[in-house]
């Protein structure tokens, strides 16, 4: 807590006259860069194992989905690197504009979107790919909410936490109408952590937990055909025969510690979403528990490294926004792995940088790029400067 208030002396790579790329390389978290690259390569490996059966069913080239995953993954990594070169203020300005655009796109989904026969209108069809705006809404909202919260630290600043809460409730309502309770839960969880970092009192935090429980119960009542059956099955411990969850849990059980071997798994022939929502089941069956633990360790390390570097940050906007972005990655990966392992009710959600999906890979690149920009080593100015010298616009 003392470090958050008084800061720490960092080596400042911005005052030594180095070229831009050299300064970036000295200041960026290179370990996180390496970990993200490893996640992407693991995603290609698992995609090559999981996607050929789907390509065969759809009459496509066996490596169709792997090729597309490589393309969007490289694009996502490129976007990540470009954003990581930006200053926090530039990231904030771009993200606020993006937040407005993406929010409008989510509002127009019932009119212009498509459901691809999945019962939820979440995508725009662009011909060569589908676009899921809620994926991009998450990082943009985190930056927008952090901007509002940090504004309350200025003299005579607005009630940032209250304003961000109103925006959150509006977005949760929009996502619930699709319905997309998973993405709505991600937004709420990230916002709750950001409010904690922003210094909300314990009474407010307890109220947030109560509101989350009430929201989950409301979703259970309002969506009897979509949410209620999943929660009922989870609480009762029942797994429907020939369901995706039954195939996934069987695959994890049969994989054991070291798996059945590369290409020897059978779950990819039964699960239509083996390359996306249930990619962990493929990993567990063919590579065993060891691969699942590796994935957990990678996501956990990325999250903890971000929080460790942010603990020294005195600019409230950077500290709040960076924590929110780290929580997005952590909570989404936990939900994906938790569903496959039957630790959570069924919920379709991709594993960042590992699952197939153009929108997911691009959004993950944007999220990590912002996080890398915020966790770069920079000079820690006096607290007075951080609060009042233009950090909040």
């Amino acid at each position: 807590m003392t470090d958050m208030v008084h800061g720490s002396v960092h080596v400042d790579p911005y005052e030594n006259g180095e070229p831009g790329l050299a300064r970036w390389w000295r200041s960026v978290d290179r370990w996180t860069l390496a970990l993200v690259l490893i996640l992407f390569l693991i995603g290609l490996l698992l995609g090559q194992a999981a996607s050929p059966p789907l390509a065969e069913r759809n009459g496509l080239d066996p490596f169709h989905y792997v090729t597309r995953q490589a393309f969007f993954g490289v694009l996502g990594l490129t976007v990540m690197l470009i954003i990581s070169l930006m200053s926090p203020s530039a990231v904030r300005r771009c993200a606020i504009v993006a937040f407005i655009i993406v929010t409008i796109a989510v509002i127009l989904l019932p009119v212009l979107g498509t459901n691809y026969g999945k019962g939820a209108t979440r995508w725009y069809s662009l011909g060569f790919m589908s676009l899921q705006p809620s994926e991009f809404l998450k990082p943009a909202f985190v930056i927008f909410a952090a901007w509002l919260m940090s504004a309350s630290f200025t003299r005579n600043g607005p009630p940032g936490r209250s304003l961000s809460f109103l925006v959150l409730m509006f977005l949760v309502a929009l996502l619930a109408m699709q319905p997309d309770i998973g993405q709505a839960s991600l937004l709420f969880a990230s916002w709750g952590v950001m409010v904690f970092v922003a210094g909300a009192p314990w009474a407010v935090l307890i109220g947030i937990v109560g509101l989350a429980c009430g929201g989950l119960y409301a979703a259970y009542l309002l969506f009897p055909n979509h949410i209620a059956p999943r929660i009922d099955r989870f609480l009762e411990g029942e797994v429907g025969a020939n369901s995706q969850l039954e195939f996934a849990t069987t695959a994890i059980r049969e994989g054991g510690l070291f798996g059945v071997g590369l290409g020897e798994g059978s779950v990819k022939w039964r699960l239509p979403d083996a390359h996306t929502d249930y990619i962990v089941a493929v990993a567990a069956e063919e590579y065993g528990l060891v691969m699942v633990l590796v994935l957990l360790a990678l996501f956990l390390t990325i999250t903890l490294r971000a929080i460790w570097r942010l603990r020294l940050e005195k600019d409230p906007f950077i500290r709040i926004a960076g924590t929110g972005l780290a929580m997005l990655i952590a909570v989404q990966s936990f939900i994906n792995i938790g569903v496959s392992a039957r630790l959570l009710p069924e919920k379709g959600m991709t594993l960042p940088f590992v699952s197939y999906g153009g929108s997911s890979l691009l959004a993950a690149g944007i999220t990590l790029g912002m996080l890398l920009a915020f966790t770069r080593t920079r000079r820690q100015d006096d607290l007075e400067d951080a609060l009042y010298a233009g950090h909040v616009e």
Side-chain angles (χ1 to χ4, degrees):
M1 186 65 181
T2 302
D3 287 336
M4 282 190 176
V5 176
H6 298 289
S8 177
V9 178
H10 284 199
V11 176
D12 185 9
Y14 299 98
E15 295 182 345
N16 54 18
E18 288 181 305
L21 286 177
R23 293 199 305 270
W24 170 82
W25 183 247
R26 281 170 58 87
S27 61
V28 77
D29 185 356
R30 295 189 291 272
W31 277 101
T32 295
L33 281 175
L35 295 176
V36 171
L37 180 59
I38 292 172
L39 279 174
F40 170 61
L41 294 177
I42 290 176
L44 288 181
L45 180 66
L46 296 178
Q48 186 171 353
S51 62
L54 178 64
E56 180 179 315
R57 288 194 294 269
N58 293 334
L60 301 171
D61 178 81
F63 300 106
H64 172 80
Y65 293 104
V66 178
T67 303
R68 288 175 63 87
Q69 183 171 354
F71 171 77
F72 286 111
V74 170
L75 186 58
L77 290 174
T78 303
V79 170
M80 178 189 74
L81 294 176
I82 292 173
I83 295 176
S84 70
L85 287 163
M86 298 168 62
S87 67
S89 59
V91 171
R92 179 175 63 240
R93 287 192 292 267
C94 293
I96 290 174
V97 173
F99 173 75
I100 296 172
I101 295 173
V102 176
T103 300
I104 293 173
V106 174
I107 293 173
L108 294 177
L109 270 175
V111 180
L112 303 177
T114 182
N115 61 17
Y116 288 106
K118 295 186 177 182
T121 305
R122 303 174 183 170
W123 299 270
Y124 285 105
S125 177
L126 304 181
F128 66 97
M129 68 171 289
S130 60
L131 186 68
Q132 187 175 354
S134 62
E135 289 284 356
F136 304 95
L137 181 66
K138 293 178 295 187
F141 167 74
V142 165
I143 303 303
F144 186 79
W147 175 57
L148 291 175
M149 292 182 192
S150 61
S152 63
F153 285 81
T154 60
R155 294 190 182 98
N156 301 317
R161 290 194 294 262
S162 299
L163 292 176
S164 66
F165 175 75
L166 294 177
V167 175
L168 172 70
M169 289 297 96
F170 174 70
L171 296 178
V172 166
L174 283 180
L175 293 173
M177 289 170 59
Q178 293 183 4
D180 193 346
I181 304 302
Q183 302 287 18
S185 300
L186 265 181
L187 286 185
F188 196 96
S190 299
W191 178 85
V193 174
M194 292 166 66
V195 167
F196 172 75
V197 173
W202 281 105
V204 173
L205 298 176
I206 293 173
I208 291 173
V209 173
L211 182 62
C213 295
L216 182 62
Y217 182 66
Y220 179 87
L221 296 178
L222 293 174
F223 301 100
N225 298 322
H226 186 74
I227 302 298
R230 300 182 182 190
I231 296 178
D232 289 340
R233 287 195 295 269
F234 175 75
L235 294 177
E236 295 170 2
E238 294 182 0
V239 179
N242 298 322
S243 66
Q244 292 203 88
L245 189 56
E246 191 270 337
F247 291 139
T249 52
T250 299
I252 293 174
R253 183 170 58 251
E254 293 180 352
L257 185 59
F258 297 107
V260 298
L262 176 61
E264 299 299 322
S266 61
V267 70
K268 57 194 176 186
W269 295 96
R270 304 173 183 176
L271 281 174
D273 294 327
H275 62 317
T276 55
D277 301 343
Y278 289 96
I279 193 70
V280 170
V282 176
E285 184 179 31
E286 300 201 358
Y287 297 95
L289 178 63
V290 171
M291 177 61 80
V292 179
L293 293 177
V294 167
L295 289 172
L296 282 170
L298 289 171
F299 284 112
L300 182 61
T301 304
I302 290 173
T303 303
L304 293 180
R305 283 193 65 83
I307 294 174
W308 180 257
R309 292 171 74 93
L310 288 167
R311 88 193 194 284
L312 301 175
E313 181 58 62
K314 290 193 299 184
D315 186 323
F317 166 74
I318 296 175
R319 189 171 65 247
I320 296 169
T323 304
L325 293 170
M327 287 303 103
L328 274 182
I329 297 295
V331 175
Q332 182 167 341
S333 59
F334 172 73
I335 291 176
N336 178 278
I337 297 173
V339 168
S340 295
R342 288 197 62 205
L343 297 176
L344 295 171
E346 300 171 63
K347 179 67 199 82
M349 191 167 291
T350 57
L351 191 61
F353 276 113
V354 178
S355 296
Y356 171 84
S359 295
S360 174
L361 289 166
L362 288 176
I366 292 171
T367 303
L368 263 298
M370 291 176 174
L371 186 58
L372 287 169
F374 292 147
T375 56
R376 286 173 60 185
T377 305
R378 58 178 54 84
R379 183 182 67 244
Q380 295 296 299
D381 295 323
D382 292 338
L383 183 60
E384 186 77 10
D385 293 336
L387 295 182
Y388 306 120
H391 285 276
V392 178
E393 298 177 356

